[in-house]
Amino acid sequence: MKTVGFPISHKENENRRAIIPEHIKLMKSPESLHFEKGYGEILGIDDCEYSNLGCRICSREEVLSKQIICDPKIGDADYLESLKPGQTIFGWVHATQNKDITDKIVKNSLTAYAWEKMFYNGRHVFWRNNELAGEAAVMHAFQCFGIMPYETKVAVIGKGNTARGVVKILNMLGADVFQYDRRIEKLFKEEIEKYDIVINCVLWDVTRTDHIISRDDLKRMKKNSMIIDVSCDRHGAVESSEPTTIENPTYTVDGIVHYVVDHTPALYYKTFSNDNSKTIYPYLEQLIGDKPDQVLQSALIIKDGVIVDEEINRFQRI
């Protein structure tokens, strides 16, 4: 049986937790789970609630020595370079879009299972997290912008899970919404000047050399309008996008406010933690027993420092 360590993230405003006691009760091997002291405090969960189920409460150093490290935002973790050959990481990795993360995993001969690569019968296992990213971005960005959604005309680019979350909140709050997908990007560019708010939910194809919204397009947008780039791909769909933080979420380029926070679900960390926990516990059991199903096998992107996901090689050669 393999051991799993759950460290507390040091990323700014990252209060999400991978799993909570409610779902550990459904697991066969809770003694394999090792939590950093104080892991659940932000959620109002005492260490004893984990230990009473058979889990171990440890120091950070002990947690990071376990065979598998589970952390929602593991790609941004400050401890990644300190892990040892043979260890496995399990969380949001985003290695395809971030060569520096890939290099750290390869250099340390780690194995990585990426949540963004987990699909069951074609649907992303973490589809609810993607919806929440869109919902949270809308709620936070409009607060930063200082205007109510029902006063705005909004363009949403994309029709996936993230866009669904965006549109759901916008409709509830009375915005005038029009949705575009990849097939009508040209139409969007023609109509960009109509909108007070433009929201990008397209995961960018890094093989493309163009942009849906170029720097020149900003000059055609409404005065004092805003771009909410939920996808947060640096210079991707939105050429002027630079990822921001919850503490400093916006900046302005050519009079257009940009909101590009790269971990918006962390704003609603209690909602995330509950949804994530009930999704993840069966896959943790598979990793503990070293019996990954097809969902996990397809999410294996790097094995003992060797890249096995051809998408990473293809994109990072560009």
Side-chain angles (χ1 to χ4, degrees):
M1 304 292 281
K2 293 190 174 182
T3 56
V4 186
F6 297 85
I8 296 173
S9 176
H10 288 172
K11 184 176 174 67
E12 170 253 357
N13 280 315
E14 184 51 83
N15 295 320
R16 292 179 287 180
R17 298 294 183 259
I19 192 166
I20 60 177
E22 177 183 351
H23 303 110
I24 295 174
K25 292 176 183 177
L26 305 175
M27 298 181 67
K28 298 175 182 177
S29 306
E31 69 279 359
S32 297
L33 309 182
H34 296 70
F35 294 89
E36 182 175 348
K37 183 176 175 56
Y39 186 80
E41 284 182 1
I42 193 69
L43 304 177
I45 300 171
D46 293 330
D47 285 342
C48 65
E49 295 183 58
Y50 285 103
S51 60
N52 287 345
L53 293 172
C55 306
R56 314 295 173 84
I57 304 300
C58 309
S59 68
R60 185 175 182 82
E61 183 180 12
E62 289 177 293
V63 163
L64 293 175
S65 72
K66 303 309 170 188
Q67 292 163 292
I68 301 164
I69 307 300
C70 182
D71 184 359
K73 203 65 173 174
I74 202 161
D76 292 339
D78 56 1
Y79 54 77
L80 205 55
E81 291 179 290
S82 69
L83 299 182
K84 301 294 189 285
Q87 285 184 279
T88 294
I89 59 173
F90 186 47
W92 297 101
V93 183
H94 297 299
T96 301
Q97 289 79 22
N98 297 282
K99 188 175 185 303
D100 59 330
I101 293 173
T102 303
D103 290 344
K104 290 176 185 177
I105 298 170
V106 170
K107 180 182 177 182
N108 285 20
S109 298
L110 304 177
T111 292
Y113 288 91
W115 289 0
E116 64 269 18
K117 297 284 187 175
M118 292 175 65
F119 290 85
Y120 178 75
N121 286 341
R123 185 172 76 172
H124 191 209
V125 168
F126 295 95
W127 63 271
R128 178 64 188 118
N129 176 80
N130 297 338
E131 271 195 344
L132 182 59
E135 294 166 1
V138 168
M139 301 275 284
H140 191 214
F142 272 85
Q143 287 180 343
C144 295
F145 198 45
I147 193 169
M148 294 298 291
Y150 56 71
E151 297 183 288
T152 61
K153 187 177 182 68
V154 184
V156 177
I157 309 170
K159 290 199 172 180
N161 294 320
T162 304
R164 183 166 62 244
V166 165
V167 171
K168 178 171 67 174
I169 292 295
L170 288 172
N171 284 337
M172 291 172 66
L173 297 175
D176 182 6
V177 184
F178 192 90
Q179 201 166 1
Y180 298 83
D181 62 21
R182 296 172 188 265
R183 295 169 300 176
I184 53 173
E185 285 179 14
K186 290 183 179 179
L187 177 62
F188 163 72
K189 290 177 78 73
E190 288 180 12
E191 298 180 344
I192 193 172
E193 60 197 30
K194 295 181 179 181
Y195 299 102
D196 305 293
I197 311 289
V198 173
I199 305 179
N200 173 52
C201 302
V202 174
L203 180 63
W204 194 238
D205 178 353
V206 297
T207 63
R208 288 181 61 168
T209 57
D210 63 339
H211 310 278
I212 297 176
I213 303 175
S214 69
R215 180 70 181 262
D216 287 341
D217 290 327
L218 301 183
K219 299 179 177 64
R220 298 175 43 237
M221 293 181 68
K222 273 190 177 182
K223 183 180 179 182
N224 297 324
S225 57
M226 176 171 65
I227 293 171
I228 304 173
D229 191 353
V230 188
S231 295
C232 299
D233 295 313
R234 188 187 303 271
H235 310 312
V238 182
E239 184 178 11
S240 48
S241 274
E242 296 277 358
T244 59
T245 66
I246 290 172
E247 290 296 330
N248 295 288
T250 64
Y251 60 90
T252 301
V253 178
D254 294 340
I256 306 301
V257 175
H258 290 56
Y259 174 97
V260 201
V261 174
D262 72 349
H263 59 308
T264 55
L267 288 159
Y268 295 90
Y269 56 89
K270 293 180 180 178
T271 297
F272 170 90
S273 298
N274 183 64
D275 287 341
N276 192 77
S277 182
K278 64 187 175 187
T279 298
I280 202 177
Y281 80 85
Y283 297 106
L284 283 170
E285 291 228 277
Q286 292 176 35
L287 290 174
I288 290 168
D290 201 18
K291 295 180 180 179
D293 67 1
Q294 187 57 48
V295 172
L296 280 173
Q297 290 175 33
S298 298
L300 178 64
I301 59 171
I302 300 174
K303 173 70 173 175
D304 295 325
V306 178
I307 298 171
V308 295
D309 181 3
E310 282 304 312
E311 184 182 64
I312 295 176
N313 283 324
R314 185 169 67 253
F315 284 2
Q316 293 190 2
R317 281 198 297 264
I318 296 170

